[in-house]
Amino acid sequence: MKERIAFVDYIRVIACLLVMVVHASEQFYNMGPISQVVNEDNRLWVSIYDGFFGRISVPLFMIVSAFLLVPMKPGMTMSQFYHRRFLRILPPFICFLVLYALLPATWGGLTWDDAIEQLKMVPFNFPLWGGHLWFMYPLISIYLIIPVVSPWLEKSSAKDERIFLGIFAFSTLIPWLHRFVSPELWGECFWNQYSALWYCSGYLGYLVLAHYIRVHLKWSKQKKLTIGAISFVIGGLFTAWSFWWKAVPGLQMETPMMEWSWEFCTPNVLLATFGSFLLFSCIQKAPRWINSLAKLTFGMYLMHIFFLTFIAEWIISGDVANPILPVWFAIPVIGLLTFLCCAVTTKIISLIPGSKYIIG
């Protein structure tokens, strides 16, 4: 049995909960490509829960994957790595792609004709009800690139990795530049999407950051706590403010503009993620229930929209301006109830033989 890493288990559990809090927050502003907030309460609490706390969830999952897998074990081949990793994530992923394509038709969320059309698109992209499954595609990309970059990371110096991380940090300005300067940068145009920084940007940066922290960052616990707290708070405050600034109550706008600094590879989210990871890394022990929950988080993530949609409908009761609970309380309640339902369901499924092909 592999030895559990306490702080990694904590990250998995907290990040999983934060994903659900993010999607609970979205119920109070996100209508699709166009969004609006209806009042100052929604504006404030979405900024806090989704912006300050929730935005670190996805990058934390990326860092944890890299922290555990890079560099690859000595002697492991590319094909062995792919076989081991993809056998773990692809069967559950495919299972839930099919479920999100078909199940909504059973309660009227889709027509059966629409469901069949979505099922046909499963080999190419996630279905309408499974929007959160977008995360699986960059995760697959990270797994594909790990055997390529692992030999370099195994031999690279701290200085070499800092150079790459500097380039990556600069690349996190791209979402801001796209929105406020030009939609096309450094070679991008309608016939070329691969800009000058394409291969040094995106989630690959978090992979290298995880390795750098694990291998080269030799700070004391106190220094990690201090710098981690400062980085998390500064990054989180900027992220929260960026939404609050744009989300003027009653004003409809394109969702990407309202979330202009909420992409996971922006400077503020990078800073908050770095800080939170340092804070988590100071944890030395985890209780058994955290260890147990951590093993369930992949399945919980995959299924959570099924629960969250109906829990949110019940609490919001058709009026995001006046839910049955105050907004400051409604968002965490939706997230926590979803988390508990998923934990129980995933635990029950885990008792079934062959459950790893369903929940990982």
Side-chain angles (χ1 to χ4, degrees):
M1 181 178 178
K2 290 199 302 184
E3 184 180 351
R4 309 293 302 183
I5 301 176
F7 83 89
V8 168
D9 281 348
Y10 264 106
I11 288 178
R12 283 175 166 157
V13 172
I14 299 301
C16 184
L17 175 60
L18 288 178
V19 166
M20 298 176 194
V21 170
V22 164
H23 293 145
S25 301
E26 287 180 353
Q27 308 301 310
F28 291 89
Y29 77 94
N30 194 311
M31 302 183 297
I34 302 295
S35 292
Q36 73 170 5
V37 294
V38 296
N39 56 38
E40 288 291 350
D41 266 0
N42 290 21
R43 180 191 196 186
L44 173 63
W45 293 108
V46 168
S47 298
I48 292 172
Y49 286 121
D50 198 339
F52 185 83
F53 291 107
R55 288 292 117 184
I56 63 173
S57 53
V58 166
L60 280 176
F61 275 128
M62 289 295 187
I63 286 186
V64 162
S65 294
F67 188 85
L68 296 174
L69 298 175
V70 179
M72 297 191 308
K73 294 180 180 179
M76 178 175 283
T77 65
M78 178 182 281
S79 59
Q80 288 171 335
F81 179 84
Y82 287 166
H83 180 268
R84 180 173 298 182
R85 300 316 307 170
F86 290 129
L87 189 61
R88 179 177 182 270
I89 68 168
L90 287 184
F93 177 41
I94 294 168
C95 174
F96 276 90
L97 283 172
V98 173
L99 288 175
Y100 280 108
L102 296 180
L103 273 189
T106 64
W107 61 74
L110 291 171
T111 67
W112 279 106
D113 286 342
D114 288 339
I116 296 303
E117 289 303 311
Q118 294 210 41
L119 184 63
K120 292 177 182 177
M121 289 301 295
V122 160
F124 306 102
N125 213 340
F126 54 82
L128 179 65
W129 272 70
H132 66 295
L133 298 179
W134 73 267
F135 167 77
M136 295 300 299
Y137 298 92
L139 181 65
I140 288 169
S141 180
I142 286 295
Y143 283 176
L144 288 173
I145 202 66
I146 280 177
V148 179
V149 301
S150 187
W152 170 67
L153 288 171
E154 206 165 359
K155 299 176 182 178
S156 61
S157 65
K159 181 181 178 181
D160 289 342
E161 291 187 34
R162 283 196 297 271
I163 291 172
F164 180 88
L165 288 172
I167 299 170
F168 164 62
F170 180 75
S171 79
T172 62
L173 294 170
I174 290 175
W176 294 357
L177 296 174
H178 274 157
R179 288 194 174 89
F180 298 114
V181 177
S182 170
E184 297 174 345
L185 296 167
W186 304 317
E188 292 175 325
C189 53
F190 74 88
W191 68 82
N192 174 51
Q193 62 181 307
Y194 304 103
S195 72
L197 295 182
W198 179 273
Y199 297 104
C200 297
S201 60
Y203 297 105
L204 176 61
Y206 284 111
L207 184 155
V208 178
L209 178 61
H211 184 267
Y212 182 83
I213 293 172
R214 180 182 179 185
V215 175
H216 300 298
L217 200 66
K218 303 301 181 182
W219 291 349
S220 67
K221 181 178 180 180
Q222 186 57 51
K223 188 173 182 179
K224 286 183 179 179
L225 287 171
T226 302
I227 294 180
I230 293 171
S231 299
F232 172 68
V233 170
I234 292 175
L237 284 175
F238 185 95
T239 310
W241 168 82
S242 70
F243 181 89
W244 183 89
W245 174 51
K246 280 292 184 182
V248 177
L251 180 63
Q252 290 191 352
M253 68 174 62
E254 294 181 352
T255 302
M257 184 54 72
M258 188 177 287
E259 300 176 343
W260 69 274
S261 198
W262 277 17
E263 290 186 30
F264 300 112
C265 294
T266 49
N268 47 299
V269 176
L270 171 60
L271 183 63
T273 302
F274 171 69
S276 62
F277 189 82
L278 288 184
L279 293 175
F280 276 114
S281 70
C282 295
I283 298 173
Q284 300 297 320
K285 294 182 180 180
R288 185 173 298 177
W289 66 271
I290 287 288
N291 302 144
S292 299
L293 269 177
K295 297 174 185 177
L296 304 175
T297 51
F298 184 48
M300 292 167 64
Y301 155 77
L302 290 172
M303 72 175 62
H304 78 273
I305 293 297
F306 284 132
F307 290 104
L308 187 142
T309 299
F310 296 104
I311 292 170
E313 284 182 2
W314 165 54
I315 289 178
I316 292 172
S317 194
D319 186 358
V320 294
N322 298 286
I324 65 174
L325 298 173
V327 176
W328 68 266
F329 193 41
I331 292 174
V333 165
I334 293 170
L336 187 57
L337 285 179
T338 302
F339 185 88
L340 294 174
C341 289
C342 292
V344 172
T345 305
T346 308
K347 182 62 179 178
I348 292 171
I349 295 174
S350 73
L351 303 176
I352 301 172
S355 62
K356 67 179 182 178
Y357 297 111
I358 303 172
I359 57 171

